């Protein structure tokens, strides 16, 4: 192997990552650290090929730009190769094939499967029928654990720590899967959470209760200017239009919040604005050129963080296993 010997937490070898709850706090910390070490490899300035001869299937049954392409980039930077389903209409699922059959088959063609699917619980179902690791790249409004790892890496890079941060979660807290995974992880690291959502899109009550049981300090502040005042991170999300059972309900909340320079004028100078992207009008383009904008760095960190994760799950262990 050229270059890197470190392959992330040994405990992850061969495991599924379906929910952020599948990872311990130590494992999350180790994965964030592994991701940071992968940065020069993700940039192409150093070379490491621990996934040589490994094939990773990308099974994407919902639209994706960053998640799929950053996973593909990560696999290829690690010397592996990809099989990709990016258009469900080009597969036998169009002929009525079930998700279980598709996954069973993919698990005989690839060493791991990255799955994105519109149904909550689909990744867990896939893990039951697959004898290869399943990485959940978004299951409906459920979970998006690998996004959380890169979100945390972005915060760690900006602040040098993950503990004691005050984080505003803004937008669609009901259907946003990035939020559902991130809020849990932030609670693990003792963050203070400020929830700022339209009244019809709150964090699901059972999730909020879970976070409170974990000891998280949680407040609500629908007024964005007030919410950002002494925050370290403003995590903005898109209203998840595709998850609304009723288009009229979506129209009632569409466009109800927007971050621009004037909203940020009362914020701390070191506040970072994050967004999993795509944005659909929630952050004005004028914010891009301010020191607050962290969302493009966040999108880049997807590659090294996913490299660290893939290496931890798939690279041969040091004992050669
Ligand atoms: C998010 C997703 O798919 O959940 N995007 C992403 O993975 N970067 C957020 C979104 O679609 O709004």
């Amino acid at each position: 192997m050229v270059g890197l010997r470190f392959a992330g937490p040994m405990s992850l070898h061969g495991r599924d990552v379906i929910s952020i709850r599948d990872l311990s706090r130590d494992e999350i910390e180790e994965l964030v650290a592994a991701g940071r070490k992968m940065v020069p490899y993700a940039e192409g300035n150093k070379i490491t090929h621990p996934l040589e001869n490994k094939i990773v299937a990308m099974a994407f049954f919902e639209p994706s730009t960053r998640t799929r392409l950053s996973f593909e980039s990560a696999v290829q930077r690690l010397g592996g190769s990809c099989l990709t389903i990016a258009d469900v209409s080009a597969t036998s699922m169009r002929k009525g094939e079930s998700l279980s059959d598709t996954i069973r088959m993919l698990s005989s063609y690839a060493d791991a499967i990255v799955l994105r699917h519109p149904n909550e619980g689909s990744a867990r179902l896939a893990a039951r029928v697959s004898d290869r690791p399943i990485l959940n790249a978004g299951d409906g409004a459920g979970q998006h654990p690998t996004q959380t790892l890169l979100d945390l890496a972005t915060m760690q890079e900006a602040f040098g720590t993950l503990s004691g941060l005050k984080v505003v979660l803004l937008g669609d807290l009901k259907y946003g899967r990035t939020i559902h995974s991130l809020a849990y992880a932030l609670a693990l690291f003792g963050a203070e959470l400020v929830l700022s959502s339209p009244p019809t899109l709150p964090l699901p009550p059972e999730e909020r209760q879970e976070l409170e049981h974990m000891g998280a300090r949680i407040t609500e502040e629908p007024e964005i200017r007030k919410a950002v005042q002494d925050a370290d991170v403003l995590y903005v999300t898109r209203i998840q239009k595709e998850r609304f059972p009723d288009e009229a309900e979506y129209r009632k909340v569409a466009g109800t919040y927007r971050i621009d320079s004037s909203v940020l004028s009362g914020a701390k100078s070191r506040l970072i604005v994050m967004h999993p992207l795509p944005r659909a009008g929630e952050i004005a383009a004028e914010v891009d050129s301010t020191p607050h904008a962290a969302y493009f760095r966040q999108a880049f960190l997807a590659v090294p963080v996913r490299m660290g994760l893939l290496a931890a799950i798939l690279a041969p262990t040091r004992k050669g296993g």
Side-chain angles (χ1 to χ4, degrees):
M1 189 204 306
V2 190
L4 201 72
R5 285 181 180 279
F6 181 73
M10 299 287 282
S11 58
L12 273 163
H13 194 258
R15 265 170 54 189
D16 301 312
V17 180
I18 307 301
S19 163
I20 193 68
R21 292 167 185 76
D22 295 342
L23 301 171
S24 68
R25 185 187 150 135
D26 283 353
E27 286 169 339
I28 293 173
E29 269 182 328
E30 285 180 68
L31 285 168
V32 168
R36 285 169 64 81
K37 291 201 177 130
M38 286 289 184
V39 167
Y41 300 87
E43 290 169 337
N45 294 326
K46 288 185 177 179
I47 293 172
T48 181
H49 283 162
L51 258 56
E52 204 155 28
N53 299 319
K54 298 283 184 191
I55 299 174
V56 180
M58 303 291 153
F60 277 69
F61 302 112
E62 256 195 351
S64 170
T65 305
R66 272 152 295 274
T67 303
R68 180 168 63 80
L69 296 181
S70 63
F71 260 116
E72 288 185 356
S73 175
V75 170
Q76 290 173 38
R77 292 281 194 206
L78 292 170
S81 50
C82 302
L83 299 177
T84 296
I85 298 173
D87 176 7
V88 63
S89 66
T91 70
S92 284
M93 286 181 97
R94 192 65 186 270
K95 301 181 192 166
E97 184 164 58
S98 66
L99 177 65
S100 322
D101 282 6
T102 306
I103 294 294
R104 233 178 236 126
M105 188 266 312
L106 281 178
S107 77
S108 67
Y109 294 168
D111 299 291
I113 301 168
V114 178
L115 175 68
R116 169 170 288 191
H117 193 277
N119 296 348
E120 206 170 324
S122 52
R124 194 66 76 192
L125 168 85
R128 279 203 289 272
V129 296
S130 171
D131 46 18
R132 302 294 191 170
I134 299 283
L135 306 189
N136 181 7
D139 62 325
Q143 285 277 307
H144 198 347
T146 68
Q147 177 72 39
T148 294
L149 295 174
L150 69 99
D151 292 344
L152 296 176
T154 308
M155 296 180 202
Q156 164 80 44
E157 188 180 76
F159 298 102
T161 179
L162 286 175
S163 38
L165 297 176
K166 182 165 182 177
V167 181
V168 180
L169 301 175
L170 173 69
D172 185 347
L173 310 186
K174 179 175 180 182
Y175 295 119
R177 56 194 175 198
T178 63
I179 292 290
H180 300 161
S181 293
L182 179 62
Y184 176 89
L186 288 172
L188 275 185
F189 287 95
E192 186 178 343
L193 300 179
V194 182
L195 309 180
S196 189
S197 72
T200 52
L201 299 173
L203 193 68
E206 61 284 4
E207 284 187 35
R208 185 172 172 160
Q209 269 165 25
E210 180 187 17
L211 305 181
E212 277 163 351
H213 280 137
M214 291 163 73
R217 287 162 297 160
I218 303 181
T219 52
E220 274 175 49
E221 182 47 76
E223 210 15 76
I224 303 172
R225 278 167 204 272
K226 277 197 201 146
V228 298
Q229 254 165 22
D230 57 350
D232 301 302
V233 179
L234 171 60
Y235 192 95
V236 188
T237 60
R238 174 181 70 88
I239 294 185
Q240 307 284 295
K241 182 178 181 191
E242 64 275 33
R243 314 258 177 253
F244 279 65
D246 178 5
E247 167 103 31
E249 286 304 309
Y250 166 72
R251 269 187 262 114
K252 281 186 204 158
V253 286
T256 49
Y257 56 92
R258 181 175 168 85
I259 303 305
D260 57 18
S261 308
S262 86
V263 172
L264 298 177
S265 60
K268 286 199 218 170
S269 60
R270 57 179 239 161
L271 168 101
I272 61 167
V273 179
M274 295 177 61
H275 192 308
L277 302 176
R279 60 176 153 180
E282 309 83 33
I283 303 179
E286 68 188 27
V287 178
D288 299 359
S289 55
T290 71
H292 298 299
Y295 29 92
F296 294 123
R297 180 69 182 166
Q298 182 185 359
F300 160 70
L301 287 171
V303 178
V305 168
R306 288 180 169 132
M307 287 174 77
L309 178 66
L310 286 161
I313 292 175
L314 277 181
T317 59
R318 268 152 269 193
K319 286 180 194 143

